[in-house]
């Protein structure tokens, strides 16, 4: 709620209850709109060992594109059964780092078939080198290259149950890269059983395997067809319970895997299809407990990269709370507020994007639940919240939104807001050039004046009427500014702000 309304406002005689219902609808839209855009990326596994092996084999790293004849010669070297086959395969792998060479290779008749033959051979070194060739191909940005690799996907899935951690990891990242680029690959992998294969693989004790698996799954979950075709399969498997377990064990060592699976959980939550299933698994209390643990790490020694886990955990909690499930009661723990402000304090300077994430969660906590509004005031966290007002445009909007959530709860809450140093900070906010921030500020003042008339008188004494008069020249704000000026001019009394329909209309 409290979003600035940009539609034309005409005369209205709506009552306070109807106004409150409209605001709740707008607030629901605001919170549910908080969905992270899908971000896809590709991973490339190259290490110094691989480069050294190529150098020892006498293979020069090729950065420039090869001619078609040179690519054909490399393919023939791979196809020949001589002892030089591994050297040719290593040279091919290095050549495939070039996009043009990749395209020329996949167009050659029998190229992928020959590579699959080596990938499925019983010679471990040949198999690994062929896997690296497919991995280089999977990193191509050309969908045609990814689709040329369609014949290898079933073998990649089969080898996920292999005994070599390095080989399994390579297969996982190759699958993840192919999934990013091609819908045809995703369409083929589903009936081939990628979800059951991942469900089996997720019980691996190796962190490198788990991190790779999280990468594959996160790419699948970001696909446009995921809500209808992929997420239902995930929910029908054992994956959700293991995802939650791995996310919540992030502080025990497997941080990389926890980060990957936290984003997986975020994408599942954003689908709107899994809330009941996740809540039945205890996602809310589990993630709340994790956030408390993450915050407890901050005063002693903040682990490097902790913000990478904090961010998706905050989003998961915030988006679960955004749904109309009445689940806020599961996490009525004031320590959650303390944890949020510890995280804010820790990451404010170095990672300012965390501020916005914390404020979104704080907004969803306080939107419908008086418990957190009362706790925020009783724990004296309001001064720390007000300090975030000038942080950024979005932070200003969210801080004001949280204050509106508190003020909406009624006179007792507005009285406490009035006692706190909120009004003096709102005056400079009204002079900002951003209409959305100013609009949110006007919403807050309207709630304060309506529920606690003394705040209107105090605001006038501080020169607030002048700031409101300046807004008369802003078309989208002038009606609400005039309504607040009218409220200020009314004498204090028990019925001062009862059925003031003109004022309510301006804020409908």
């Amino acid at each position: 709620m409290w979003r600035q309304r940009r539609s034309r406002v005409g005369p209205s005689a709506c009552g306070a209850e109807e106004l409150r219902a409209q605001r709740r609808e707008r607030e629901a839209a605001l919170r549910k709109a908080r969905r992270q855009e899908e971000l896809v990326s590709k991973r490339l596994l190259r290490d110094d060992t691989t480069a050294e092996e190529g150098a020892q084999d006498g293979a020069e790293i090729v950065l420039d594109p090869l001619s078609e004849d040179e690519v054909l010669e490399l393919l023939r070297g791979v196809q020949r059964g001589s002892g030089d086959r591994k050297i040719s395969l290593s040279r091919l792998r290095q050549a495939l780092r070039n996009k043009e060479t990749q395209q020329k290779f996949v167009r050659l008749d029998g190229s992928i078939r020959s590579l699959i033959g080596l990938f499925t051979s019983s010679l471990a070194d040949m198999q690994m080198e062929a896997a690296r060739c497919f991995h280089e191909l999977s990193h191509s940005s050309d969908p045609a290259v990814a689709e040329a690799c369609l014949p290898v996907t079933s073998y990649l899935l089969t080898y996920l149950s292999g005994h070599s951690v390095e080989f399994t990891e390579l297969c996982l990242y190759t699958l993840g890269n192919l999934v990013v680029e091609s819908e045809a690959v995703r369409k083929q992998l589903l009936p081939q059983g990628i979800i059951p294969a991942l469900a089996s693989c997720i019980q691996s004790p190796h962190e490198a395997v788990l991190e790779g698996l999280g990468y594959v799954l996160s790419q699948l979950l970001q696909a446009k067809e995921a809500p209808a075709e992929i997420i239902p399969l995930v929910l029908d498997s054992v994956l959700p319970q293991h995802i939650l377990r791995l996310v919540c064990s992030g502080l025990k060592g497997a941080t990389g895997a926890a980060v990957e699976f936290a984003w997986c959980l975020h994408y599942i939550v954003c689908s709107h299809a899994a809330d009941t299933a996740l809540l039945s698994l205890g996602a809310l209390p589990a993630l709340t407990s994790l956030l408390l643990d993450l915050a407890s790490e901050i005063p002693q020694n903040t682990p490097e990269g902790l913000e990478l886990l904090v961010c998706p955990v905050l989003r998961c909690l915030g988006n679960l709370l955004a749904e109309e499930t009445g689940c806020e009661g599961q996490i009525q723990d004031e320590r959650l507020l303390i944890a949020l402000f510890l995280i804010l304090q820790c990451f404010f300077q170095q990672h300012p994007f965390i501020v916005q994430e914390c404020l979104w969660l704080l907004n969803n906590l306080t939107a419908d639940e008086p418990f957190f509004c009362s706790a925020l005031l009783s724990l004296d966290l309001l001064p720390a919240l007000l300090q975030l007002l000038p942080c950024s445009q979005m932070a200003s909007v969210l801080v004001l939104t949280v204050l509106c959530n508190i003020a909406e709860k009624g006179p007792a809450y507005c009285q406490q807001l009035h006692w706190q140093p909120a009004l003096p900070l709102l005056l400079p906010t009204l002079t900002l050039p951003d209409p959305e921030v100013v609009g949110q500020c006007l919403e807050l003042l309207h709630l304060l004046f309506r529920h606690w008339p003394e705040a209107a008188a105090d605001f006038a004494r501080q020169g607030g009427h002048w700031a409101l008069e300046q807004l008369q020249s802003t078309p989208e704000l002038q009606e609400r500014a005039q309504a607040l000026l009218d409220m200020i001019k009314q004498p204090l009394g028990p019925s001062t702000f009862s059925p003031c329909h003109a004022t309510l209309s301006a804020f409908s």
Side-chain angles (χ1 to χ4, degrees):
M1 57 189 151
W2 334 123
R3 258 193 124 167
Q4 178 185 341
R5 287 159 304 288
R6 301 185 184 276
S7 56
R8 186 175 300 167
V9 180
S12 170
C14 60
E17 286 304 318
E18 185 179 347
L19 174 63
R20 186 174 295 111
Q22 291 173 358
R23 281 179 171 147
R24 287 191 178 279
E25 288 176 10
R26 287 197 303 276
E27 188 233 17
L30 170 69
R31 289 189 288 152
K32 290 182 180 181
R34 176 59 178 141
R35 305 297 182 185
Q36 170 70 1
E37 291 184 2
E38 286 127 7
L39 301 173
V40 295
S41 61
K42 289 194 172 188
R43 309 280 175 87
L44 194 55
L45 298 184
R46 287 180 187 153
D47 54 36
D48 295 336
T49 305
T50 303
E52 288 169 9
E53 286 174 356
Q56 288 167 5
D57 289 338
E60 182 181 352
I61 296 177
V62 180
L63 299 177
D64 296 327
L66 299 183
S67 67
E68 290 188 5
D69 288 341
E70 289 172 319
V71 176
L72 181 58
E73 183 58 33
L74 277 178
L75 177 59
R76 287 171 176 168
V78 168
Q79 291 171 334
R80 283 192 294 265
S82 66
D84 293 336
R85 176 184 280 185
K86 188 185 175 187
I87 294 176
S88 297
L89 197 54
S90 179
R91 286 176 174 162
L92 175 63
R93 181 248 305 160
Q94 292 165 6
L96 289 175
R97 296 177 181 180
N98 181 277
K99 180 178 179 179
E100 291 181 41
T101 304
Q102 292 172 346
Q103 293 168 334
K104 291 171 184 175
F105 177 77
V106 299
R107 286 198 297 263
L108 287 176
D109 185 44
S111 58
I112 296 297
R113 185 169 60 251
S114 297
L115 209 49
I116 288 176
L118 293 170
F119 181 59
T120 57
S121 75
S122 58
L123 301 174
D125 55 345
M126 291 289 186
Q127 192 179 38
M128 179 62 81
E129 201 63 35
R132 288 175 180 145
C133 288
F134 277 117
H135 186 63
E136 294 291 346
L137 289 172
S138 76
H139 202 255
S140 173
S141 59
D142 184 354
V145 174
E147 290 176 19
C149 295
L150 280 170
V152 80
T153 56
S154 61
Y155 298 105
L156 288 168
L157 290 178
T158 299
Y159 288 136
L160 293 186
S161 58
H163 299 295
S164 167
V165 172
E166 183 184 3
F167 189 66
T168 302
E169 181 188 19
L170 195 58
C171 290
L172 284 165
Y173 282 103
T174 302
L175 279 167
N177 290 344
L178 292 173
V179 160
V180 171
E181 204 59 56
S182 170
E183 183 178 358
V185 171
R186 297 193 296 271
K187 294 285 188 185
Q188 177 166 289
L189 282 169
L190 289 178
Q192 285 180 342
I194 188 171
I195 300 303
L198 295 180
S200 175
C201 199
I202 202 170
Q203 300 182 56
S204 169
H206 303 289
E207 182 180 354
V209 171
L210 293 174
E211 193 169 340
L213 191 155
Y215 169 66
V216 180
L217 190 56
S218 69
Q219 303 312 307
L220 281 170
L221 294 171
Q222 290 180 80
K224 64 180 183 297
E225 69 272 17
E229 299 177 22
I230 298 173
I231 289 178
L233 296 176
V234 171
L235 294 177
D236 285 341
S237 72
V238 298
L239 282 170
Q241 64 199 59
H242 286 291
I243 289 172
L244 192 59
R245 171 182 61 82
L246 290 164
V247 171
C248 293
S249 63
L251 285 174
K252 298 175 184 175
T255 307
V259 169
E260 294 289 355
F261 286 113
W263 285 108
C264 290
L265 194 60
H266 167 65
Y267 298 132
I268 293 173
V269 172
C270 288
S271 73
H272 302 282
D275 295 328
T276 302
L278 292 174
L279 291 172
S280 68
L281 290 173
L284 265 182
L287 292 173
T288 301
S289 178
L290 173 60
L291 202 61
L292 296 178
D293 291 340
L294 290 170
S296 70
E297 293 288 310
I298 289 172
Q300 289 80 30
N301 181 28
T302 306
E304 186 178 354
L306 187 66
E307 74 281 355
L308 300 177
L309 180 57
V310 167
C311 181
V313 170
L314 288 169
R315 289 183 183 177
C316 287
L317 276 171
N319 284 335
L320 281 172
L321 288 169
E323 305 304 327
E324 302 299 329
T325 55
C327 55
E328 296 90 342
Q330 294 184 29
I331 54 170
Q332 288 193 357
D333 189 339
E334 62 185 20
R335 292 178 302 164
L336 182 55
L337 293 180
I338 298 172
L340 277 178
F341 279 90
L342 279 172
I343 291 169
L344 278 167
Q345 184 181 30
C346 174
F347 296 118
F348 176 77
Q349 296 292 341
Q350 201 168 3
H351 305 291
F353 68 91
I354 291 291
V355 173
Q356 185 172 314
E357 305 298 338
C358 288
L359 289 174
W360 271 103
L361 176 54
L362 188 61
N363 171 55
N364 289 357
L365 286 170
T366 56
D368 299 310
E369 184 50 65
F371 173 85
F372 287 106
C373 295
S374 300
L376 194 146
L377 295 170
S378 64
L379 292 171
D380 199 26
L381 294 173
L382 191 59
L385 179 64
L386 292 172
Q387 286 178 6
L388 299 173
L389 257 178
C391 181
S392 68
Q393 187 270 349
M394 182 55 73
S396 298
V397 171
L398 289 170
V399 168
L400 292 166
T401 302
V402 172
L403 293 173
C404 284
N405 290 341
I406 297 172
E408 192 267 343
K409 301 301 184 290
Y413 292 86
C414 289
Q415 181 184 26
Q416 292 191 62
L417 287 176
H418 182 216
W419 288 346
Q420 297 281 352
L423 287 179
L425 291 173
L426 296 183
L427 278 171
T429 303
L430 288 175
T431 65
L432 294 175
D434 189 304
E436 186 176 6
V437 174
V438 176
Q440 295 289 91
C441 190
L442 294 177
E443 296 276 10
L444 176 58
L445 289 172
H446 170 248
L447 288 166
L448 287 171
F449 294 176
R450 179 159 64 91
H451 288 304
W452 194 249
E454 287 85 344
D458 195 15
F459 186 74
R461 283 192 294 271
Q462 295 177 21
H465 63 283
W466 179 86
L468 292 173
E469 287 170 357
Q470 299 303 305
L471 296 176
Q472 299 280 1
S473 59
T474 306
E476 62 262 47
L477 301 175
Q478 61 182 11
E479 189 171 357
R480 282 178 285 170
Q482 183 58 54
L484 290 173
L485 284 169
D486 293 342
M487 295 175 84
I488 287 175
K489 292 173 185 175
Q490 295 181 39
L492 290 177
S495 61
T496 301
F497 301 104
S498 1
C500 185
H501 296 312
T503 297
L504 291 176
S505 299
F507 286 84
S508 62

